[in-house]
Amino acid sequence: AAARTQAAMAAVTRAVLAAPAARLSSRRVAPQTRALPSRASRGVSLVVRSTVSIEHQGKTYEVECDGFDSILDAALDAGIEDLSYDCKMGVCMTCPSKVTGGKVTQDGAMLSDDVADMGYALLCVALPDGEDVKIETVTEEELLDVQLCA
């Protein structure tokens, strides 16, 4: 876990150092104008601005993701209400979802590999890995049942 955290911090540091200073004036980095290597593929796939479809409490939302902020942050910025979350670090598991289309990366998530392979993700650390990402929010109980039985 410590190695994954160090790798994630190194990726963030590289991204911040590569951004022009004018783009670092607020919490959110300005929309990217160039593609960066995906953290999951280490250079094969490209992270770009993309739209993620989120099904939450019977409604479907289209959320614009900039490739830097988590899907949770993008959803909150878009005004989706009643999303469950707490730590925003991938540890507490209160922001569970199921990826029903496309792929996400979620470095730092405290999910077992087999649970992630079943399509579960933590929105607070999930980033879209390409286009056509579809997410369905699920209950914390559902995720914990799967995590404990996997």
Side-chain angles (χ1 to χ4, degrees), residues 6-115:
Q6 283 182 329
M9 291 302 296
V12 168
T13 300
R14 284 191 303 275
V16 168
L17 293 175
R23 292 175 57 193
L24 300 176
S25 62
S26 67
R27 178 188 71 80
R28 292 178 53 97
V29 177
Q32 79 185 59
T33 57
R34 61 185 174 78
L36 296 174
S38 166
R39 293 184 292 172
S41 61
R42 304 292 186 238
V44 175
S45 180
L46 297 177
V47 173
V48 294
R49 178 177 289 280
S50 61
T51 301
V52 174
S53 177
I54 300 175
E55 185 177 323
H56 177 64
Q57 297 181 343
K59 294 180 183 176
T60 301
Y61 302 87
E62 299 293 319
V63 175
E64 191 72 26
C65 293
D66 63 9
F68 293 102
D69 288 335
S70 70
I71 294 172
L72 174 64
D73 284 338
L76 294 172
D77 288 347
I80 299 178
E81 296 179 6
D82 300 324
L83 284 171
S84 177
Y85 69 95
D86 189 16
C87 74
K88 295 180 102 177
M89 295 184 301
V91 177
C92 70
M93 295 196 223
T94 58
C95 58
S97 66
K98 181 117 185 195
V99 180
T100 58
K103 294 181 181 180
V104 300
T105 61
Q106 52 180 337
D107 292 349
M110 299 301 286
L111 296 178
S112 61
D113 290 340
D114 49 346
V115 170

Side-chain angles (χ1 to χ4, degrees), residues 122-144:
L122 298 176
L123 292 179
C124 69
V125 292
L127 296 172
D129 191 6
E131 293 292 325
D132 301 320
V133 174
K134 294 181 174 54
I135 300 281
E136 176 184 334
T137 59
V138 297
T139 64
E140 185 178 355
E141 290 77 24
E142 177 181 336
L143 175 62
L144 290 175

